[in-house]
Amino acid sequence: MKVIILAGGGGTRLFPLSRDCYPKQFLHVIGDKSLLAQTIERLLGLVEAKDIIIVTNERYIFHVQAELKIINAQEAHIITEPMGKNTAPAIALAQSYCQDVLQCDDDEILFVSPSDHLIKPIDAFQNLIRNAQDVAKDNIITLGIKPTKPEIGYGYIEAEKNNNLAKKVISFKEKPDLVTAKEYISSGNYYWNGGMFMFSIATMQDELTKYMPAIIDITKNGYQYAVDNFVNMPDISIDYAVAEKSQKMMMIPMENIYWNDIGSFDAIAEVLSDKDKNVFKGDILAENCTDTMIIGDNRLIAGIDLENLMIIDTPDALLVAKKGESQKVKNIVNKLKQNKRKEAKENVTMYRSWGKYTLLTESEGYRVRKIEMDPGASLTMQMHYHRSEHWTVISGTGKIIINDKESIFTENQSTYIPMGVKHKLSNPGKIPLIIIEVQSGKYINDDDIVVFGK
């Protein structure tokens, strides 16, 4: 079996923690590891790392690589979508990779999972997947979650009533209103759609050929052709493309298994709330607070006599909302995008192939950043027309080339790069290089860069 993990989504309902540049699968909101890392570890009990294919956006490849390194799963494969095209093209691209690059047979079973859900206990989940493999040889299996409440934020699966492991899917339902959701709950044969699927390559190939030939017309020419022509893929979910049409859909319920898509702050509260229904993460001092979530970053947050509130604090944005209304967060993000606010896309910490940087402060004429460069990493040789830079080493050892002159600078040492001068920074050491960078000039923007070579 091969496992396909879909990790390209951008998510807007966890703003300001989640941004376009740093979506929720990389957040450390539940436990010490990211949701992506937890997903990979949950599936490593079924397959080896070399049998995992992670589909992500080109912008997130450095995030994925970092998470794989943390959990020692670097043998997992990473494929990147040139652009977001929804789940059907992503799954088809991964299947093409399995056929063309990994040389999988047509009877190979593929298990598709989102990257940002919480599932426990792990042993019960793994046993369910093992037992489902035989059924998946000739069918498309989807996992259904038994509803615990009339949830209006999820899609539903209507399945036949029987005691079999796998139940015939009758229909897929869109996110309902509250009245309809209550009807689904009372009927007893409706399940939440968790977005997990299992099938053989041959079965999915046949169903895509039958119901979505526009995808097969591209992937049948091989993986690299599919990448080069990904722009021509239809933008459609696997639910619309195949699941709602196929006569081979079977549903296996996740009995006695907890599932949460961590799709909103209310979902986080469900997992982390204490006996007073409170969630406090960060440096929080609370007095007489109930049913309140406060998530902070570095500074102290004090709350007094709060009830039914969500307070999410980050270095550049603060969200305050009523509990139960977290689905509306996406409306705020849409307004930010309409107003072309950078907060919708960027975070104060941005990841790059060489490490990351954190914006500490900026104003007209200057910008201060903390740069953390991985061991062995290097920037390109570059030059800036409109700004000078002053670098001070906080930790580690840096190698700097300025106008072909090479030098080493270490802790508490600094160097100055005038505007218009070619320079290159690298980390020759065994520990991260941490420097404070002060940029100054009349025009300070990331597009003021001239790159020389690689």
Side-chain angles (χ1 to χ4, degrees):
M1 184 173 71
K2 297 290 186 291
V3 169
I4 298 170
I5 298 176
L6 304 179
T12 58
R13 290 177 293 175
L14 293 183
F15 173 87
L17 298 181
S18 173
R19 316 282 178 100
D20 274 359
C21 71
Y22 196 71
K24 72 166 180 169
Q25 57 264 33
F26 304 115
L27 296 179
H28 294 66
V29 289
I30 308 292
D32 297 329
K33 296 177 182 176
S34 72
L35 293 171
L36 172 61
Q38 292 181 52
T39 299
I40 296 168
E41 288 188 324
R42 183 164 61 244
L43 294 164
L44 280 174
L46 293 167
V47 297
E48 298 179 29
K50 62 184 179 64
D51 295 315
I52 295 176
I53 301 95
I54 302 172
V55 187
T56 190
N57 189 288
E58 289 179 336
R59 296 177 297 166
Y60 306 146
I61 187 170
F62 309 126
H63 297 298
V64 175
Q65 289 171 339
E67 296 300 327
L68 290 174
K69 186 176 181 180
I70 289 172
I71 59 175
N72 196 29
Q74 295 95 320
E75 289 188 342
H77 305 265
I78 304 174
I79 63 176
T80 58
E81 305 168 281
M83 64 202 67
K85 284 282 188 175
N86 219 315
T87 55
I91 291 170
L93 184 67
Q95 179 162 299
S96 178
Y97 182 88
C98 291
Q99 293 173 285
D100 197 22
V101 179
L102 302 184
Q103 295 294 298
C104 294
D105 295 331
D106 285 351
D107 59 357
E108 182 87 40
I109 299 296
L110 306 183
F111 176 65
V112 178
S113 170
S115 60
D116 48 11
H117 295 179
L118 179 66
I119 298 174
K120 58 185 181 179
I122 294 176
D123 289 347
F125 175 74
Q126 291 175 349
N127 287 334
L128 180 68
I129 300 304
R130 292 188 186 98
N131 293 335
Q133 288 188 58
D134 283 342
V135 186
K137 291 178 180 178
D138 300 308
N139 300 282
I140 298 176
I141 301 299
T142 184
L143 301 186
I145 297 92
K146 191 68 175 177
T148 56
K149 57 186 176 181
E151 175 63 55
I152 64 173
Y154 301 147
Y156 284 72
I157 304 167
E158 181 186 9
E160 289 183 348
K161 290 184 177 181
N162 58 51
N163 294 321
N164 299 333
L165 170 68
K167 308 174 190 297
K168 183 72 176 178
V169 172
I170 299 172
S171 66
F172 286 80
K173 304 292 186 181
E174 294 297 314
K175 297 175 183 178
D177 57 28
L178 185 58
V179 173
T180 305
K182 289 180 178 179
E183 293 175 355
Y184 290 167
I185 297 295
S186 63
S187 72
N189 66 319
Y190 282 80
Y191 299 78
W192 289 336
N193 183 358
M196 291 171 279
F197 297 89
M198 182 184 289
F199 47 81
S200 70
I201 288 177
T203 297
M204 182 56 70
Q205 197 84 349
D206 289 344
E207 298 302 272
L208 283 171
T209 301
K210 186 183 300 183
Y211 300 113
M212 194 50 57
I215 290 179
I216 289 297
D217 287 346
I218 294 174
T219 58
K220 70 181 181 182
N221 295 303
Y223 171 71
Q224 191 56 53
Y225 183 90
V227 171
D228 295 340
N229 292 274
F230 200 77
V231 65
N232 299 317
M233 288 273 203
D235 189 339
I236 189 169
S237 70
I238 194 66
D239 301 72
Y240 285 143
V242 174
E244 293 187 1
K245 303 170 184 176
S246 176
Q247 299 302 306
K248 296 183 178 182
M249 290 302 306
M250 303 290 288
M251 190 277 299
I252 296 179
M254 290 172 53
E255 301 285 358
N256 302 314
I257 298 174
Y258 177 81
W259 172 90
N260 192 316
D261 76 338
I262 315 297
S264 67
F265 287 113
D266 289 310
I268 294 176
E270 178 184 310
V271 178
L272 299 180
S273 289
D274 62 18
K275 61 182 178 59
D276 296 317
K277 298 183 179 180
N278 291 323
V279 176
F280 300 137
K281 287 179 67 70
D283 190 2
I284 313 298
L285 185 60
E287 180 73 22
N288 194 34
C289 296
T290 58
D291 201 13
T292 291
M293 170 185 284
I294 305 177
I295 297 179
D297 191 34
N298 294 318
R299 60 182 169 184
L300 168 67
I301 301 175
I304 302 173
D305 292 341
L306 301 178
E307 184 177 3
N308 198 35
L309 283 179
M310 302 186 305
I311 300 170
I312 316 298
D313 185 42
T314 66
D316 64 335
L318 171 67
L319 172 71
V320 181
K322 283 185 178 181
K323 289 282 291 295
E325 301 296 335
S326 61
Q327 296 288 346
K328 296 180 181 178
V329 172
K330 61 184 178 182
N331 299 337
I332 295 295
V333 176
N334 289 336
K335 289 183 178 179
L336 290 173
K337 291 180 178 180
Q338 290 169 8
N339 295 329
K340 298 182 178 180
R341 293 285 299 258
K342 67 178 182 179
E343 290 89 348
K345 295 184 176 181
E346 299 180 9
N347 207 330
V348 292
T349 297
M350 300 290 287
Y351 289 77
R352 295 291 183 263
S353 60
W354 44 264
K356 62 183 179 181
Y357 67 80
T358 300
L359 177 65
L360 301 180
T361 184
E362 67 177 337
S363 188
E364 185 175 354
Y366 72 90
R367 178 165 62 182
V368 182
R369 303 193 299 187
K370 177 184 177 182
I371 294 177
E372 300 179 56
M373 181 174 286
D374 297 331
S378 177
L379 297 177
T380 56
M381 181 69 77
Q382 56 190 249
M383 178 188 74
H384 312 291
Y385 282 116
H386 303 291
R387 72 172 185 256
S388 59
E389 295 175 337
H390 188 270
W391 293 341
T392 301
V393 177
I394 304 301
S395 176
T397 299
K399 182 172 73 173
I400 180 74
I401 300 175
I402 301 178
N403 275 343
D404 299 326
K405 181 180 179 180
E406 181 179 305
S407 59
I408 298 292
F409 64 134
T410 58
E411 293 180 17
N412 297 320
Q413 293 183 330
S414 61
T415 188
Y416 173 72
I417 303 102
M419 65 179 67
V421 172
K422 292 197 300 183
H423 58 282
K424 180 178 181 178
L425 175 68
S426 59
N427 178 4
K430 302 296 184 181
I431 63 174
L433 169 64
I434 302 176
I435 69 174
I436 299 298
E437 175 190 69
V438 180
Q439 303 174 355
S440 58
K442 293 184 177 180
Y443 179 82
I444 298 178
N445 211 319
D446 289 337
D447 61 359
D448 176 25
I449 183 171
V450 178
V451 176
F452 301 89
K454 296 183 179 180

